[in-house]
Amino acid sequence: MEISKQRRIRHLALAVISLLILGGCASFGEWLAVRLFYREAVLPKEQVHTDVIYYHGPGADQRKHLLDFYMPQGKGAPVLVFVHGGGWRTGDKALKFGDADPYGNIGRFYAARGIGVAVINYRLQPKVTWRDQVNDVARALAWVYEHAGSYGGDKRAIFVSGHSSGAQLAVRAVLDRKLLRDLGLPGSVPCAVISVSGSPFDLTDEKLNLSLFEKHFRAGDEGEEWKREASSIDLVTASTPPFLLLHGAWEAPGLKRQNQLMHRKLQSTGVPARLVATPWEEHFLIVAALSREDKTASGEILDFIRGTRCAAS
């Protein structure tokens, strides 16, 4: 009886959050998700390095070309590069709802379990295009590869992750091998990819509601080629690193389909890939679930990182 009551409460909470989001109150939905599911992780302050500059070149942004590095004690730790969400136009690594800092909590949670985390900022639309954002993610990855050892990390064991639009940008950057080569990254970097509620991966999908994404990806281009160029699914090759695709069971059907399409593409190309729909969570609740030891999402990520063998760089 008690379990049934808890389930009804959870369903009610999810329904309220979903209605708020669909009604245009995403920020309040995020706040409510944090209040209901957030559990603060603890890490000594000396293991946290904030506002580290990862890019100094032309067009450098003093506020957005920064990352926060959360590192476990000792040396040789795998490192997770995490890209925040926000619909390509909002968001920040230091996002807070009251005293809750969901992205910082992700950093502290995994670092306390032996996995370093670099939570990155990147420039936002409409000041820049999606191409610039992908470049920023790639630059951050290149910086982590070059400097991980100085912070006790293992540059041979770098994982890339992100949530929502951050996952879309992370996947697009990782699969652009020319971009990564131009930044001096070997083919073994990153070791693997963890996409959390990511979409869209295939903008050419006839069932995709393009009206949700055209303003983010057309970027002034004429014709229809922008859809293919911004998509990541056609960049999958046999040398693509392993993937873990996560999304909440209560996600929108279109997002679920995009993850299914990517999963099928990875599998048909021979890339090790796992697709997991986590129970109870939807698009915002899953962020809090990433740093909760009692949630499916965090367990899947920990098992994936610990169980993936990374090649020597």
Side-chain angles (χ1 to χ4, degrees):
M1 183 66 72
E2 184 63 28
I3 293 176
S4 178
K5 182 179 179 181
Q6 290 176 358
R7 286 178 176 173
R8 287 198 299 272
I9 293 172
R10 287 178 178 176
H11 277 294
L12 178 60
L14 287 167
V16 170
I17 292 169
S18 297
L19 286 172
L20 287 167
I21 292 166
L22 291 172
C25 300
S27 60
F28 186 74
E30 292 171 341
W31 177 87
L32 187 57
V34 166
R35 286 302 175 203
L36 288 173
F37 289 85
Y38 180 88
R39 182 178 295 169
E40 184 175 4
V42 178
L43 189 73
K45 290 184 178 180
E46 60 269 21
Q47 293 173 228
V48 180
H49 312 272
T50 59
D51 292 334
V52 180
I53 300 171
Y54 68 79
Y55 177 66
H56 297 270
D61 187 307
Q62 293 183 347
R63 191 167 67 90
K64 288 300 182 182
H65 286 132
L66 302 173
L67 60 81
D68 294 341
F69 222 154
Y70 301 80
M71 292 302 299
Q73 292 181 332
K75 296 182 179 180
V79 178
L80 179 67
V81 178
F82 188 85
V83 187
H84 70 74
W88 298 277
R89 295 186 175 219
T90 65
D92 192 273
K93 63 181 176 59
L95 178 72
K96 283 196 173 184
F97 293 105
D99 294 330
D101 57 339
Y103 301 131
N105 209 49
I106 290 170
R108 294 190 297 273
F109 177 85
Y110 291 96
R113 288 157 179 80
I115 299 166
V117 182
V119 183
I120 76 164
N121 267 355
Y122 54 92
R123 292 170 294 171
L124 301 174
Q125 298 181 24
K127 290 186 177 181
V128 298
T129 70
W130 68 267
R131 297 181 183 87
D132 300 309
Q133 294 178 308
V134 168
N135 286 341
D136 285 350
V137 173
R139 286 165 175 160
L141 173 58
W143 186 94
V144 171
Y145 175 73
E146 184 178 351
H147 297 278
S150 300
Y151 291 82
D154 183 355
K155 71 177 185 179
R156 300 168 300 177
I158 297 175
F159 295 74
V160 176
S161 181
H163 169 250
S164 189
S165 55
Q168 184 274 330
L169 294 172
V171 170
R172 182 61 178 76
V174 165
L175 296 182
D176 191 337
R177 292 312 310 179
K178 181 181 183 304
L179 172 62
L180 299 189
R181 283 197 305 271
D182 289 346
L183 289 170
L185 289 167
S188 58
V189 177
C191 176
V193 182
I194 303 166
S195 170
V196 182
S197 297
S199 179
F201 300 125
D202 184 4
L203 285 155
T204 68
D205 177 25
E206 294 181 355
K207 294 186 178 182
L208 184 68
N209 184 356
L210 271 181
S211 64
L212 297 175
F213 303 109
E214 184 170 1
K215 64 182 177 182
H216 299 297
F217 295 106
R218 180 176 283 278
D221 295 354
E222 297 180 359
E224 301 300 313
E225 185 58 26
W226 64 272
K227 291 185 284 188
R228 187 169 300 281
E229 185 180 350
S231 298
S232 54
I233 198 165
D234 289 335
L235 298 176
V236 173
T237 69
S239 60
T240 291
F243 262 68
L244 173 62
L245 297 158
L246 296 168
H247 66 72
W250 283 52
E251 299 274 11
L255 183 145
K256 292 181 181 179
R257 174 175 168 80
Q258 285 287 305
N259 280 264
Q260 290 162 2
L261 291 173
M262 176 58 86
H263 185 237
R264 290 175 200 156
K265 177 68 174 184
L266 291 162
Q267 287 192 316
S268 66
T269 314
V271 177
R274 177 169 166 78
L275 174 61
V276 179
T278 65
W280 306 115
E281 284 95 41
E282 51 71 75
H283 200 66
F284 297 107
L285 293 182
I286 200 169
V287 177
L290 298 180
S291 55
R292 284 280 299 268
E293 196 163 32
D294 58 341
K295 297 297 181 181
T296 300
S298 61
E300 290 284 348
I301 291 173
L302 287 168
D303 288 346
F304 182 69
I305 293 176
R306 292 166 177 168
T308 300
R309 177 173 293 184
C310 301
S313 300

